[in-house]
Amino acid sequence: MITILKRIILSCLLLNLGIAHAHHGWSEYDQTKAVKLNGTITQSGYEHPHGVVKLNADGKSWTIVLAPPFRMENRGLSESDIANGALVTVEGYINRSQPDGLRAERITAGNKTVELR
Amino acid sequence: MALEGLWLAQVMKHSSWLYPTIETMHIWGIGMLFGSVVIMDLRILGVASKLSLSDLSRLGVLVAVFGFGLAVLTGSLMFITQASELISSRLFILKMCLIFLLLANAIILRMRTVSNGISKTQALISLAGWASVIGMGRWLAYV
């Protein structure tokens, strides 16, 4: 039993050491710098746990994290508003470890602006 | 990662009500597990010593195991929607490791027939550990 415990602890330590900082969680977004992007959606994910779209803007492809689908729906941003090819403006924060990742605070699609937080 | 492409992961992502429901059931599982763990650990630590530990455990272990199973099942369903992101999160790995350790701790505690100082230490580890696991899970949404 003790050997099994030792093995679990050891492999946990090794696993933890081996993990690269690839993770893009909430705190990874640099909240000191707000960025505004204007572009075309090339891939749309109106999905759980939060919406994600690919946006062509400023000559590159961004990964934009939005809000949970229920919240977007309640605030009037429907799936069709952020469909492929839609022209949108997003404002938010860039990921420190992933320069093409942005967490959007608000999105403007058509003539409506929706707060995402 | 390929896991996110699974049919089940796609259903979890795109059904409007499924994900929140699974989250709710995850909390049901946590409630059952942690609730019974607290009662059994407190009893081992000497609280309400008139209650028979074996009687208490008979129901307590059943509810705890059911709650644990529910939490693992629902947790796995949430995991597959964001597998690559979670697997590269240090906090997630730490949470999983702690769960394995606490599981081993619980099994050892259960196998021990006499209650002694070591049992009490194990009960304390269990209380602090499961509380931390819940905290880590909550923080996963933010860090």
Side-chain angles (χ1 to χ4, degrees), chain B residues 10-30:
Chain B
Q10 291 305 316
V11 173
M12 279 291 289
K13 281 180 173 192
H14 297 292
S15 155
S16 57
W17 54 270
L18 189 58
Y19 198 96
T21 305
I22 294 295
E23 279 183 309
T24 305
M25 292 170 74
H26 195 61
I27 302 173
W28 290 349
I30 296 168

PDB file of all heavy atoms in Angstrom, chain B residues 10-30:
ATOM      1  N   GLN B  10     -18.956  16.424 -28.763  1.00  0.00           N
ATOM      2  CA  GLN B  10     -19.704  17.341 -29.622  1.00  0.00           C
ATOM      3  C   GLN B  10     -21.109  17.578 -29.073  1.00  0.00           C
ATOM      4  O   GLN B  10     -21.603  18.701 -29.058  1.00  0.00           O
ATOM      5  CB  GLN B  10     -19.774  16.781 -31.058  1.00  0.00           C
ATOM      6  CG  GLN B  10     -18.431  16.791 -31.778  1.00  0.00           C
ATOM      7  CD  GLN B  10     -17.800  18.173 -31.812  1.00  0.00           C
ATOM      8  OE1 GLN B  10     -18.458  19.169 -32.083  1.00  0.00           O
ATOM      9  NE2 GLN B  10     -16.513  18.258 -31.504  1.00  0.00           N
ATOM     10  N   VAL B  11     -21.742  16.497 -28.601  1.00  0.00           N
ATOM     11  CA  VAL B  11     -23.082  16.631 -28.028  1.00  0.00           C
ATOM     12  C   VAL B  11     -23.030  17.533 -26.793  1.00  0.00           C
ATOM     13  O   VAL B  11     -23.845  18.432 -26.620  1.00  0.00           O
ATOM     14  CB  VAL B  11     -23.660  15.238 -27.657  1.00  0.00           C
ATOM     15  CG1 VAL B  11     -24.972  15.375 -26.913  1.00  0.00           C
ATOM     16  CG2 VAL B  11     -23.858  14.401 -28.910  1.00  0.00           C
ATOM     17  N   MET B  12     -22.008  17.317 -25.941  1.00  0.00           N
ATOM     18  CA  MET B  12     -21.841  18.134 -24.732  1.00  0.00           C
ATOM     19  C   MET B  12     -21.672  19.611 -25.083  1.00  0.00           C
ATOM     20  O   MET B  12     -22.166  20.486 -24.398  1.00  0.00           O
ATOM     21  CB  MET B  12     -20.602  17.665 -23.954  1.00  0.00           C
ATOM     22  CG  MET B  12     -20.804  16.466 -23.077  1.00  0.00           C
ATOM     23  SD  MET B  12     -21.846  16.826 -21.664  1.00  0.00           S
ATOM     24  CE  MET B  12     -20.749  17.852 -20.679  1.00  0.00           C
ATOM     25  N   LYS B  13     -20.931  19.873 -26.148  1.00  0.00           N
ATOM     26  CA  LYS B  13     -20.647  21.253 -26.542  1.00  0.00           C
ATOM     27  C   LYS B  13     -21.865  21.944 -27.127  1.00  0.00           C
ATOM     28  O   LYS B  13     -22.084  23.125 -26.901  1.00  0.00           O
ATOM     29  CB  LYS B  13     -19.535  21.277 -27.598  1.00  0.00           C
ATOM     30  CG  LYS B  13     -18.133  21.106 -27.052  1.00  0.00           C
ATOM     31  CD  LYS B  13     -17.165  21.162 -28.214  1.00  0.00           C
ATOM     32  CE  LYS B  13     -15.720  21.162 -27.758  1.00  0.00           C
ATOM     33  NZ  LYS B  13     -14.823  21.498 -28.852  1.00  0.00           N
ATOM     34  N   HIS B  14     -22.636  21.212 -27.912  1.00  0.00           N
ATOM     35  CA  HIS B  14     -23.662  21.876 -28.711  1.00  0.00           C
ATOM     36  C   HIS B  14     -25.079  21.778 -28.166  1.00  0.00           C
ATOM     37  O   HIS B  14     -25.930  22.564 -28.550  1.00  0.00           O
ATOM     38  CB  HIS B  14     -23.595  21.371 -30.159  1.00  0.00           C
ATOM     39  CG  HIS B  14     -22.288  21.711 -30.802  1.00  0.00           C
ATOM     40  ND1 HIS B  14     -21.935  23.014 -31.099  1.00  0.00           N
ATOM     41  CD2 HIS B  14     -21.222  20.966 -31.151  1.00  0.00           C
ATOM     42  CE1 HIS B  14     -20.724  23.026 -31.625  1.00  0.00           C
ATOM     43  NE2 HIS B  14     -20.264  21.794 -31.651  1.00  0.00           N
ATOM     44  N   SER B  15     -25.324  20.834 -27.269  1.00  0.00           N
ATOM     45  CA  SER B  15     -26.651  20.807 -26.669  1.00  0.00           C
ATOM     46  C   SER B  15     -26.731  21.973 -25.696  1.00  0.00           C
ATOM     47  O   SER B  15     -25.810  22.209 -24.909  1.00  0.00           O
ATOM     48  CB  SER B  15     -26.856  19.488 -25.921  1.00  0.00           C
ATOM     49  OG  SER B  15     -27.819  19.668 -24.904  1.00  0.00           O
ATOM     50  N   SER B  16     -27.846  22.715 -25.743  1.00  0.00           N
ATOM     51  CA  SER B  16     -27.888  23.916 -24.908  1.00  0.00           C
ATOM     52  C   SER B  16     -28.066  23.585 -23.430  1.00  0.00           C
ATOM     53  O   SER B  16     -27.586  24.294 -22.562  1.00  0.00           O
ATOM     54  CB  SER B  16     -28.988  24.858 -25.388  1.00  0.00           C
ATOM     55  OG  SER B  16     -30.214  24.187 -25.378  1.00  0.00           O
ATOM     56  N   TRP B  17     -28.762  22.489 -23.115  1.00  0.00           N
ATOM     57  CA  TRP B  17     -29.071  22.219 -21.711  1.00  0.00           C
ATOM     58  C   TRP B  17     -28.166  21.163 -21.072  1.00  0.00           C
ATOM     59  O   TRP B  17     -28.060  21.061 -19.863  1.00  0.00           O
ATOM     60  CB  TRP B  17     -30.528  21.763 -21.577  1.00  0.00           C
ATOM     61  CG  TRP B  17     -30.833  20.594 -22.474  1.00  0.00           C
ATOM     62  CD1 TRP B  17     -31.280  20.665 -23.761  1.00  0.00           C
ATOM     63  CD2 TRP B  17     -30.648  19.204 -22.180  1.00  0.00           C
ATOM     64  NE1 TRP B  17     -31.383  19.397 -24.290  1.00  0.00           N
ATOM     65  CE2 TRP B  17     -31.015  18.476 -23.344  1.00  0.00           C
ATOM     66  CE3 TRP B  17     -30.211  18.494 -21.044  1.00  0.00           C
ATOM     67  CZ2 TRP B  17     -30.952  17.082 -23.403  1.00  0.00           C
ATOM     68  CZ3 TRP B  17     -30.157  17.107 -21.108  1.00  0.00           C
ATOM     69  CH2 TRP B  17     -30.526  16.420 -22.262  1.00  0.00           C
ATOM     70  N   LEU B  18     -27.484  20.337 -21.907  1.00  0.00           N
ATOM     71  CA  LEU B  18     -26.745  19.196 -21.357  1.00  0.00           C
ATOM     72  C   LEU B  18     -25.592  19.609 -20.436  1.00  0.00           C
ATOM     73  O   LEU B  18     -25.466  19.110 -19.317  1.00  0.00           O
ATOM     74  CB  LEU B  18     -26.236  18.308 -22.502  1.00  0.00           C
ATOM     75  CG  LEU B  18     -25.637  16.965 -22.080  1.00  0.00           C
ATOM     76  CD1 LEU B  18     -26.651  16.147 -21.281  1.00  0.00           C
ATOM     77  CD2 LEU B  18     -25.168  16.161 -23.287  1.00  0.00           C
ATOM     78  N   TYR B  19     -24.752  20.538 -20.910  1.00  0.00           N
ATOM     79  CA  TYR B  19     -23.575  20.917 -20.123  1.00  0.00           C
ATOM     80  C   TYR B  19     -23.940  21.449 -18.734  1.00  0.00           C
ATOM     81  O   TYR B  19     -23.407  20.954 -17.725  1.00  0.00           O
ATOM     82  CB  TYR B  19     -22.717  21.920 -20.910  1.00  0.00           C
ATOM     83  CG  TYR B  19     -21.308  22.046 -20.388  1.00  0.00           C
ATOM     84  CD1 TYR B  19     -20.257  21.320 -20.952  1.00  0.00           C
ATOM     85  CD2 TYR B  19     -21.027  22.869 -19.303  1.00  0.00           C
ATOM     86  CE1 TYR B  19     -18.980  21.426 -20.467  1.00  0.00           C
ATOM     87  CE2 TYR B  19     -19.741  22.982 -18.809  1.00  0.00           C
ATOM     88  CZ  TYR B  19     -18.717  22.262 -19.394  1.00  0.00           C
ATOM     89  OH  TYR B  19     -17.450  22.367 -18.905  1.00  0.00           O
ATOM     90  N   PRO B  20     -24.873  22.424 -18.658  1.00  0.00           N
ATOM     91  CA  PRO B  20     -25.258  22.911 -17.321  1.00  0.00           C
ATOM     92  C   PRO B  20     -25.857  21.808 -16.454  1.00  0.00           C
ATOM     93  O   PRO B  20     -25.664  21.799 -15.229  1.00  0.00           O
ATOM     94  CB  PRO B  20     -26.305  23.990 -17.610  1.00  0.00           C
ATOM     95  CG  PRO B  20     -26.127  24.352 -19.030  1.00  0.00           C
ATOM     96  CD  PRO B  20     -25.538  23.182 -19.737  1.00  0.00           C
ATOM     97  N   THR B  21     -26.586  20.865 -17.074  1.00  0.00           N
ATOM     98  CA  THR B  21     -27.173  19.764 -16.304  1.00  0.00           C
ATOM     99  C   THR B  21     -26.085  18.861 -15.745  1.00  0.00           C
ATOM    100  O   THR B  21     -26.150  18.431 -14.585  1.00  0.00           O
ATOM    101  CB  THR B  21     -28.127  18.939 -17.200  1.00  0.00           C
ATOM    102  OG1 THR B  21     -29.083  19.832 -17.771  1.00  0.00           O
ATOM    103  CG2 THR B  21     -28.837  17.864 -16.413  1.00  0.00           C
ATOM    104  N   ILE B  22     -25.074  18.563 -16.575  1.00  0.00           N
ATOM    105  CA  ILE B  22     -23.972  17.727 -16.115  1.00  0.00           C
ATOM    106  C   ILE B  22     -23.208  18.430 -14.989  1.00  0.00           C
ATOM    107  O   ILE B  22     -22.808  17.810 -13.998  1.00  0.00           O
ATOM    108  CB  ILE B  22     -23.034  17.383 -17.296  1.00  0.00           C
ATOM    109  CG1 ILE B  22     -23.759  16.494 -18.327  1.00  0.00           C
ATOM    110  CG2 ILE B  22     -21.762  16.681 -16.823  1.00  0.00           C
ATOM    111  CD1 ILE B  22     -24.147  15.114 -17.827  1.00  0.00           C
ATOM    112  N   GLU B  23     -23.044  19.753 -15.124  1.00  0.00           N
ATOM    113  CA  GLU B  23     -22.396  20.530 -14.046  1.00  0.00           C
ATOM    114  C   GLU B  23     -23.180  20.392 -12.744  1.00  0.00           C
ATOM    115  O   GLU B  23     -22.610  20.216 -11.667  1.00  0.00           O
ATOM    116  CB  GLU B  23     -22.332  22.020 -14.430  1.00  0.00           C
ATOM    117  CG  GLU B  23     -21.192  22.385 -15.344  1.00  0.00           C
ATOM    118  CD  GLU B  23     -21.152  23.878 -15.619  1.00  0.00           C
ATOM    119  OE1 GLU B  23     -22.184  24.456 -16.002  1.00  0.00           O
ATOM    120  OE2 GLU B  23     -20.085  24.482 -15.436  1.00  0.00           O
ATOM    121  N   THR B  24     -24.510  20.470 -12.866  1.00  0.00           N
ATOM    122  CA  THR B  24     -25.370  20.334 -11.686  1.00  0.00           C
ATOM    123  C   THR B  24     -25.182  18.955 -11.047  1.00  0.00           C
ATOM    124  O   THR B  24     -25.019  18.837  -9.834  1.00  0.00           O
ATOM    125  CB  THR B  24     -26.850  20.510 -12.098  1.00  0.00           C
ATOM    126  OG1 THR B  24     -26.982  21.756 -12.776  1.00  0.00           O
ATOM    127  CG2 THR B  24     -27.769  20.481 -10.902  1.00  0.00           C
ATOM    128  N   MET B  25     -25.167  17.924 -11.882  1.00  0.00           N
ATOM    129  CA  MET B  25     -25.022  16.564 -11.360  1.00  0.00           C
ATOM    130  C   MET B  25     -23.639  16.342 -10.746  1.00  0.00           C
ATOM    131  O   MET B  25     -23.489  15.566  -9.807  1.00  0.00           O
ATOM    132  CB  MET B  25     -25.278  15.542 -12.484  1.00  0.00           C
ATOM    133  CG  MET B  25     -26.734  15.545 -12.915  1.00  0.00           C
ATOM    134  SD  MET B  25     -27.014  14.573 -14.401  1.00  0.00           S
ATOM    135  CE  MET B  25     -26.871  12.919 -13.760  1.00  0.00           C
ATOM    136  N   HIS B  26     -22.638  17.049 -11.277  1.00  0.00           N
ATOM    137  CA  HIS B  26     -21.293  16.987 -10.702  1.00  0.00           C
ATOM    138  C   HIS B  26     -21.348  17.500  -9.261  1.00  0.00           C
ATOM    139  O   HIS B  26     -20.762  16.902  -8.359  1.00  0.00           O
ATOM    140  CB  HIS B  26     -20.344  17.845 -11.545  1.00  0.00           C
ATOM    141  CG  HIS B  26     -18.888  17.605 -11.290  1.00  0.00           C
ATOM    142  ND1 HIS B  26     -18.274  16.388 -11.500  1.00  0.00           N
ATOM    143  CD2 HIS B  26     -17.886  18.432 -10.841  1.00  0.00           C
ATOM    144  CE1 HIS B  26     -16.996  16.468 -11.187  1.00  0.00           C
ATOM    145  NE2 HIS B  26     -16.726  17.695 -10.787  1.00  0.00           N
ATOM    146  N   ILE B  27     -22.098  18.566  -9.053  1.00  0.00           N
ATOM    147  CA  ILE B  27     -22.226  19.117  -7.696  1.00  0.00           C
ATOM    148  C   ILE B  27     -23.034  18.176  -6.803  1.00  0.00           C
ATOM    149  O   ILE B  27     -22.728  18.026  -5.626  1.00  0.00           O
ATOM    150  CB  ILE B  27     -22.837  20.540  -7.738  1.00  0.00           C
ATOM    151  CG1 ILE B  27     -21.947  21.451  -8.597  1.00  0.00           C
ATOM    152  CG2 ILE B  27     -22.968  21.119  -6.335  1.00  0.00           C
ATOM    153  CD1 ILE B  27     -22.526  22.823  -8.836  1.00  0.00           C
ATOM    154  N   TRP B  28     -24.049  17.517  -7.358  1.00  0.00           N
ATOM    155  CA  TRP B  28     -24.766  16.499  -6.560  1.00  0.00           C
ATOM    156  C   TRP B  28     -23.773  15.459  -6.053  1.00  0.00           C
ATOM    157  O   TRP B  28     -23.782  15.092  -4.887  1.00  0.00           O
ATOM    158  CB  TRP B  28     -25.821  15.779  -7.401  1.00  0.00           C
ATOM    159  CG  TRP B  28     -27.006  16.604  -7.780  1.00  0.00           C
ATOM    160  CD1 TRP B  28     -27.340  17.846  -7.289  1.00  0.00           C
ATOM    161  CD2 TRP B  28     -28.035  16.270  -8.725  1.00  0.00           C
ATOM    162  NE1 TRP B  28     -28.494  18.286  -7.883  1.00  0.00           N
ATOM    163  CE2 TRP B  28     -28.948  17.351  -8.758  1.00  0.00           C
ATOM    164  CE3 TRP B  28     -28.270  15.173  -9.540  1.00  0.00           C
ATOM    165  CZ2 TRP B  28     -30.076  17.349  -9.586  1.00  0.00           C
ATOM    166  CZ3 TRP B  28     -29.394  15.171 -10.358  1.00  0.00           C
ATOM    167  CH2 TRP B  28     -30.291  16.246 -10.377  1.00  0.00           C
ATOM    168  N   GLY B  29     -22.933  14.984  -6.954  1.00  0.00           N
ATOM    169  CA  GLY B  29     -21.943  13.970  -6.589  1.00  0.00           C
ATOM    170  C   GLY B  29     -21.003  14.470  -5.499  1.00  0.00           C
ATOM    171  O   GLY B  29     -20.753  13.774  -4.517  1.00  0.00           O
ATOM    172  N   ILE B  30     -20.498  15.699  -5.688  1.00  0.00           N
ATOM    173  CA  ILE B  30     -19.593  16.294  -4.708  1.00  0.00           C
ATOM    174  C   ILE B  30     -20.292  16.412  -3.358  1.00  0.00           C
ATOM    175  O   ILE B  30     -19.722  16.091  -2.316  1.00  0.00           O
ATOM    176  CB  ILE B  30     -19.127  17.701  -5.173  1.00  0.00           C
ATOM    177  CG1 ILE B  30     -18.311  17.596  -6.463  1.00  0.00           C
ATOM    178  CG2 ILE B  30     -18.309  18.378  -4.082  1.00  0.00           C
ATOM    179  CD1 ILE B  30     -18.064  18.945  -7.125  1.00  0.00           C
TER     180      ILE B  30
END
